[in-house]
Amino acid sequence: MTGSVRYDSVFRPGLFAGRAIIVTGGGSGIGRCTAHELKSLGARVALVGRTMEKLERVREELGDPDTFIHSADLRREDEVKAAIEGVMSWSGRIDGLVNNAGGQFPAQLKDISLNGWNAVVANNMTATFLVSKAVYLASMEAHGGVIVNVGADFELGNPGMAHNGAARAGQTNFTYSASIEWAHSGVRVNSVIPGFIASSGFDRYPERAHEALRSVKDRIPAKRHGTESEIAGAIVYLLSDAAAYVSGATLRVDGGLHNYGKSTFYHVPDHENSRPFNGFPLYRPPKVLE
């Protein structure tokens, strides 16, 4: 049980029994959903994010006072080290890390300030490096473990959010390098690349982006937005023993959008044949899609 609700996971109960797993950005959206699924599967969950109030709310939802929460700015190395030291004091080891925290905003290159550029790169690339390194040195170098980085598609560029595309390219390249350098320690490192997911993050975009967020489903072969549960499920798979031979991989969860973006001669007809999976009873669609 998670609080007063049961997460409807497709994975077997007790899958992560006794394992300590960190979820950054665990106070909302995909991170919150992932925390609920991991808890439902027996994990001891550590939530790290910027806003303590959000983390406290999720801990209350989980219904487990053992859940570790820590507020930190993951762009700052001293705060990252303090967070990981806190997790180690709580658990003694770290079996899994989900680097989910991040943030970006729509803007054309000519309008992005240096501060804006640096903020997005720090949020979406540097933080992944800092947290992963701290976790590796504190626990995984000696005991092994699994790291899953939650990124975004960048291979065709990211016009309108080029700072995010650059940061996500670096984040994914970090995944490739870390999967090799840390393999001898028994550490697997992979990335999940979400498409357009109907998460609370949509509501943080300015109003000028709302129509694009609503209409983008027409460009997706699945003809719908994704769910938080569909990303959480991909993360859980990569954390699990079923993925024991998977490292340095990027798993796209985007309803086929990436490959369709390369197509110039085929149009996917409108349909309603892609059935979403939503195992999270507390999920609510973002207001922008209502």
Side-chain angles (χ1 to χ4, degrees):
M1 294 290 288
T2 56
S4 60
V5 297
R6 181 181 293 276
Y7 192 101
D8 184 21
S9 178
V10 302
F11 298 94
R12 67 169 173 82
L15 181 63
F16 297 112
R19 300 189 194 183
I21 301 177
I22 300 173
V23 180
T24 70
S28 62
I30 292 169
R32 171 184 175 234
C33 180
T34 301
H36 274 267
E37 180 158 22
L38 289 171
K39 182 61 186 173
S40 78
L41 298 172
R44 298 183 70 204
V45 178
L47 304 175
V48 180
R50 191 171 298 181
T51 307
M52 180 59 76
E53 182 181 1
K54 291 182 178 180
L55 301 177
E56 290 173 341
R57 187 181 308 125
V58 175
R59 179 168 65 180
E60 183 176 352
E61 291 173 358
L62 294 174
D64 184 3
D66 178 56
T67 302
F68 178 86
I69 59 174
H70 187 99
S71 175
D73 182 345
L74 300 181
R75 299 170 298 182
R76 296 180 54 88
E77 187 172 23
D78 57 339
E79 294 193 29
V80 168
K81 288 181 177 179
I84 301 311
E85 287 171 2
V87 174
M88 289 297 292
S89 296
W90 163 74
S91 67
R93 62 183 289 160
I94 299 166
D95 301 290
L97 165 64
V98 181
N99 279 310
N100 168 73
Q104 54 276 327
F105 58 90
Q108 295 184 39
L109 277 168
K110 66 184 181 65
D111 299 322
I112 300 173
S113 68
L114 179 59
N115 285 341
W117 177 276
N118 288 341
V120 170
V121 170
N123 277 326
N124 297 335
M125 182 177 69
T126 306
T128 293
F129 159 68
L130 290 175
V131 178
S132 298
K133 176 185 173 184
V135 166
Y136 180 75
L137 292 175
S139 179
M140 290 188 181
E141 185 175 25
H143 304 291
V146 187
I147 298 172
V148 179
N149 301 320
V150 181
D153 204 351
F154 60 87
E155 288 190 4
L156 300 180
N158 198 183
M161 285 201 296
H163 46 359
N164 184 49
R168 298 303 189 173
Q171 181 191 41
T172 302
N173 201 269
F174 167 80
T175 298
Y176 299 157
S177 296
S179 71
I180 302 302
E181 290 194 19
W182 296 346
H184 72 282
S185 294
V187 177
R188 295 188 294 106
V189 190
N190 293 290
S191 290
V192 171
I193 309 296
F196 286 89
I197 307 303
S199 176
S200 59
F202 272 17
D203 289 331
R204 292 197 292 269
Y205 284 92
E207 188 173 352
R208 67 179 185 275
H210 289 183
E211 181 54 36
L213 291 172
R214 286 190 287 264
S215 63
V216 71
K217 66 181 182 180
D218 296 331
R219 294 173 30 222
I220 301 170
K223 298 297 180 179
R224 65 174 177 86
H225 296 90
T227 70
E228 295 171 353
S229 293
E230 289 165 333
I231 304 302
I235 292 169
V236 168
Y237 160 68
L238 290 172
L239 287 171
S240 77
D241 295 341
Y245 204 50
V246 180
S247 194
T250 55
L251 174 56
R252 286 194 182 86
V253 187
D254 66 358
L257 177 61
H258 177 83
N259 289 339
Y260 193 38
K262 299 177 180 178
S263 174
T264 56
F265 297 107
Y266 184 78
H267 173 70
V268 176
D270 288 340
H271 66 88
E272 296 182 358
N273 295 322
S274 177
R275 296 177 176 83
F277 171 72
N278 178 22
F280 187 20
L282 296 181
Y283 169 77
R284 298 294 180 271
K287 294 178 181 178
V288 69
L289 297 183
E290 292 179 352

